[in-house]
Amino acid sequence: MRILRPTRSALARAAACLRDGGLVALPTETVYGLGARADDPRAVARIYAAKGRPRFNPLIAHVPDTAAARRIATFDARAELLARAFWPGPLTLVLPARGAGTCAAARAGLDSVGVRVPAHRIARALLARVGVPIAAPSANPSGKLSPTRALDVARALGPRVDLVLDGGPCPVGVESTIVDLTGPRARLLRPGGVPVEAIAAAIGDLAAADGTIKAPGMLASHYAPRARLRLDARRPEPGEAYLGFGGLPADSAGLDLSPGGDLAEAARNLFGHLRALDRAGAARIAVAPIPSRGLGLAIRDRLARAAAPRD
Ligand code: AMP
Ligand code: MG
């Protein structure tokens, strides 16, 4: 595994590696992705193996623009509207698959496909060079904290990845919002980098995911640090580290997601701060209440799953 600065020659090398069926970790605006060509079952199998990801959990296909997305998925009027409003950006659309561009393994055998046009400059440059859709789940072992820096990927996956492109810290810091448009009613499968309120303003209210779905393990333990979490805590109890928001209580030990109470900043810091508290050896972390609006919904979703009982 090599970490490369994203020079032109590094991008050329990464593109060649992907075309040959390799695994390349790439920066996106959400988190670092573990990329492989989505049309190649062997390359896709390497993603599942490197992450220890259950085979029934489908991968999101990343493409450089909406035209490329239309080649792999069927767009209706709602999809066109959302693509125009939010792409490139942290929104994934689940749409009927057209069969081209993604292999069955990437879709976990489903006849739908999750597709996204990322906004990150390096991700887009790489996707444009490769010329095929790239499946890219977060570049971490399944169920663990998502990586927001190249170093996080190197530490968590090491030799399991061929190449890491270092694009610095991810500017959004939480995964994409996922909207399922395969049914008559749009459904929110995961809150993420695009606020749900903005999506609802564009296409009307979203139905909640109903648990019978297509997003296996959605409520199971995920995004988990080593430490145990206690949520909506106004202050730490003895023995707990504190993950604050909008100011730390007097003489508490911990980190603040955003001293000024800014949800975008908190999202950007979320995984890094949890990782830092883990590394500092915290056994238990009390987490401040986070508002349920805008990016706060995505932050609360990740925290709830980080706090969920583990097997
Ligand atoms: P990630 O874990 O960030 O790679 O996102 C993968 C998630 O995207 C899955 O767990 C599903 O929630 C969603 N997804 C991707 N592809 C599909 C699909 N074909 N049908 C339904 N959901 C999908
Ligand atoms: Mg993930």
Side-chain angles (χ1 to χ4, degrees), residues 26-41:
L26 64 146
T28 80
E29 68 274 27
T30 60
V31 302
Y32 273 75
L34 181 61
R37 54 188 298 166
D39 62 348
D40 177 352

Side-chain angles (χ1 to χ4, degrees), residues 31 51 53 137-144 146-147 175 190 222-223:
V31 302
K51 285 181 61 74
R53 180 172 172 115
S138 53
N140 58 307
S142 186
K144 302 295 188 207
S146 302
E175 291 80 355
R190 174 176 76 191
H222 213 85
Y223 311 110

